[in-house]
């Protein structure tokens, strides 16, 4: 697997005995590579729009996607690359600055424009020593808020590999190749009706922009 790419891996159909397996069990659905200075994907019908976000040269990873919270820069993939209830989202991330006011706190966010449900990653969860992937299923059972905790993403200007793997109600969170969080989430992702995948900030929701880069 070429981990220089932003990978969205979808397993369209898996028997129950495969649900907890590794990346080899997933079908590559969308893959974004910035090396040509663009954000094109030829595998699916998704598209990435750069809303102020820029493709820049990084000394470690080559061309990467960069966004600045002061300018509210972001990128968005539509439609959200989600099919069914099995998903793996994998990418490299580098935070450029730590903002004590918490305004940097969201790296990515799956979002539903129909009901406001979302899934997002907070590098530091509410001033604790943990990071967290939050599932806020507003469309399910009058609202379900569940959190998948992991180790805090601490260092500025350091690349980290992040992966979220979902198989039905089983969620796993990986940081730098290690599983740092695992739990059962009550809501299936198909019930969230996710329409967008944002990086940097979601302009349709609370203003929590971040400054950093993804690859």
């Amino acid at each position: 697997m070429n981990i220089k790419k932003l990978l969205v891996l979808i397993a369209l159909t898996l028997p129950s005995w495969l649900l907890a397996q590794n990346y080899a069990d997933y079908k590559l659905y969308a893959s974004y590579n910035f090396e040509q200075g663009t954000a094109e994907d030829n595998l699916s019908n998704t598209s990435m729009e750069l809303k102020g976000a820029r493709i820049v040269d990084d000394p470690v990873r080559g061309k990467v996607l960069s966004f600045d919270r002061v300018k509210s820069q972001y990128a968005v993939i539509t439609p959200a690359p989600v099919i069914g209830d099995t998903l793996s989202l994998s990418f490299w991330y580098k935070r450029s600055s730590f903002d004590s006011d918490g305004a940097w706190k969201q790296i990515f966010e799956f979002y539903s424009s129909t009901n406001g449900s979302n899934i997002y990653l907070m590098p530091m969860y509410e001033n604790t020593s943990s990071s967290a992937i939050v599932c806020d299923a507003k469309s399910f059972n009058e609202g379900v808020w569940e959190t998948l905790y992991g180790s805090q993403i601490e260092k500025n200007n350091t690349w980290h590999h992040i992966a979220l793997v979902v198989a039905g109600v089983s969620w796993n969170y990986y940081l730098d190749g290690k599983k740092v969080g695992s739990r059962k989430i009550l809501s299936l992702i198909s019930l969230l009706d996710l329409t967008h995948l944002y990086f940097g900030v979601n302009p349709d929701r609370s203003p929590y922009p971040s400054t950093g880069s993804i690859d």
Side-chain angles (χ1 to χ4, degrees):
M1 179 183 298
N2 182 357
I3 54 178
K4 277 189 64 62
K5 298 179 179 180
L6 164 68
L7 301 178
V8 181
L9 307 169
I10 303 292
L12 300 180
T13 57
L14 284 178
S16 60
W17 58 272
L18 277 178
L19 288 181
Q21 300 302 306
N22 60 30
Y23 288 133
D25 299 316
Y26 291 77
K27 178 181 177 180
L28 180 62
Y29 179 70
S31 176
Y32 287 85
N33 187 330
F34 309 119
E35 287 305 311
Q36 302 303 316
T38 62
E40 295 180 357
D41 166 59
N42 296 320
L43 296 175
S44 69
N45 67 340
T46 67
S47 63
M48 177 182 285
E49 296 182 72
L50 306 185
K51 300 294 189 177
R54 300 174 300 124
I55 297 175
V56 302
D57 289 311
D58 179 83
V60 175
R61 299 207 55 81
K63 292 188 181 298
V64 300
L65 184 69
S66 177
F67 34 84
D68 186 333
R69 78 178 189 91
V70 175
K71 299 178 181 179
S72 294
Q73 296 174 338
Y74 67 95
V76 57
I77 295 177
T78 53
V82 176
I83 297 176
D85 291 306
T86 307
L87 161 74
S88 179
L89 171 68
S90 173
F91 61 95
W92 287 88
Y93 166 72
K94 179 177 73 172
R95 185 178 69 226
S96 297
S97 63
F98 180 93
D99 304 303
S100 58
D101 61 2
W104 54 278
K105 71 178 185 178
Q106 291 184 3
I107 297 174
F108 74 80
E109 180 179 338
F110 283 101
Y111 176 70
S112 171
S113 61
T114 61
N115 58 54
S117 296
N118 51 24
I119 301 168
Y120 54 89
L121 171 61
M122 300 169 63
M124 185 177 69
Y125 185 73
E126 296 182 353
N127 299 317
T128 69
S129 59
S130 300
S131 60
I133 293 176
V134 177
C135 176
D136 187 5
K138 294 182 172 65
S139 60
F140 180 70
N141 197 30
E142 298 183 357
V144 175
W145 173 289
E146 296 191 84
T147 305
L148 182 63
Y149 295 101
S151 51
Q152 186 182 130
I153 301 174
E154 298 177 341
K155 294 182 179 180
N156 292 335
N157 298 311
T158 301
W159 284 101
H160 299 279
H161 189 255
I162 293 168
L164 167 64
V165 179
V166 179
V169 297
S170 297
W171 289 45
N172 292 286
Y173 169 26
Y174 296 85
L175 179 61
D176 295 329
K178 297 180 180 180
K179 184 188 291 187
V180 293
S182 181
R183 68 171 294 181
K184 303 289 186 181
I185 299 291
L186 185 61
S187 175
L188 295 170
I189 56 176
S190 59
L191 299 177
L192 277 62
D193 191 24
L194 301 169
T195 58
H196 297 70
L197 172 56
Y198 290 97
F199 291 93
V201 68
N202 176 0
D204 298 320
R205 218 173 59 80
S206 300
Y208 299 122
S210 62
T211 298
S213 303
I214 64 166
D215 190 22

